[in-house]
Amino acid sequence: MPQLIFHGVKSDDVKTCSTALVEELAQVMETSTDNFLLEVINSVQIFNGREEVKPYPFVDVRWFERGQVVQDASAAVITQHLNRVGCDPVDVIFTALRKNAYYENSTHFDT
């Protein structure tokens, strides 16, 4: 935890920036690098009902809320790393998870 789900980003691009990205995010979020999960979703985006278009790059970050300052810094880190591998523009969406609704081995995180 946190989970970064990449849409419209090539898996090779995520691989290229993943180590530095996770290291920098771990510092910003004050957590260890082994807590991160990176997933790449290969998707097709449709325009005007029939035309397949180049996917628009965005990242869905699922995490336990860490406040606006950390969220802003995290969005900047993600954007910078993806810009370096050729993704521009990049949207970043944060989804806050409730600790009492997130379970690992039948135990929720709000214990």
Side-chain angles (χ1 to χ4, degrees), residues 49-100:
R50 64 187 122 174
E51 180 184 352
E52 291 186 17
V53 295
K54 180 180 176 185
Y56 187 87
F58 73 94
V59 182
D60 180 8
V61 180
R62 297 178 188 177
W63 70 341
F64 298 130
E65 180 64 43
R66 289 169 165 84
Q68 191 67 51
V69 171
V70 174
Q71 181 174 296
D72 291 348
S74 298
V77 167
I78 293 165
T79 300
Q80 290 166 2
H81 283 277
L82 289 180
N83 285 166
R84 288 184 194 134
V85 296
C87 296
D88 187 20
V90 174
D91 286 359
V92 181
I93 303 164
F94 288 86
T95 303
L97 302 173
R98 295 186 347 256
K99 289 185 177 184
N100 67 344

Side-chain angles (χ1 to χ4, degrees), residues 29-44:
M29 295 181 189
E30 297 182 354
T31 190
S32 63
T33 58
D34 63 347
N35 285 328
F36 286 83
L37 171 67
L38 277 61
E39 180 178 359
V40 177
I41 304 293
N42 293 314
S43 60
V44 174

Side-chain angles (χ1 to χ4, degrees), residues 2-60:
Q3 301 170 352
L4 281 73
I5 303 167
F6 297 83
H7 301 265
V9 181
K10 297 176 187 171
S11 59
D12 286 341
D13 290 340
V14 174
K15 290 175 188 177
T16 297
C17 70
S18 64
T19 300
L21 171 64
V22 168
E23 287 173 354
E24 196 169 344
L25 283 175
Q27 289 179 344
V28 169
M29 295 181 189
E30 297 182 354
T31 190
S32 63
T33 58
D34 63 347
N35 285 328
F36 286 83
L37 171 67
L38 277 61
E39 180 178 359
V40 177
I41 304 293
N42 293 314
S43 60
V44 174
Q45 294 181 3
I46 307 296
F47 175 74
N48 203 21
R50 64 187 122 174
E51 180 184 352
E52 291 186 17
V53 295
K54 180 180 176 185
Y56 187 87
F58 73 94
V59 182
D60 180 8

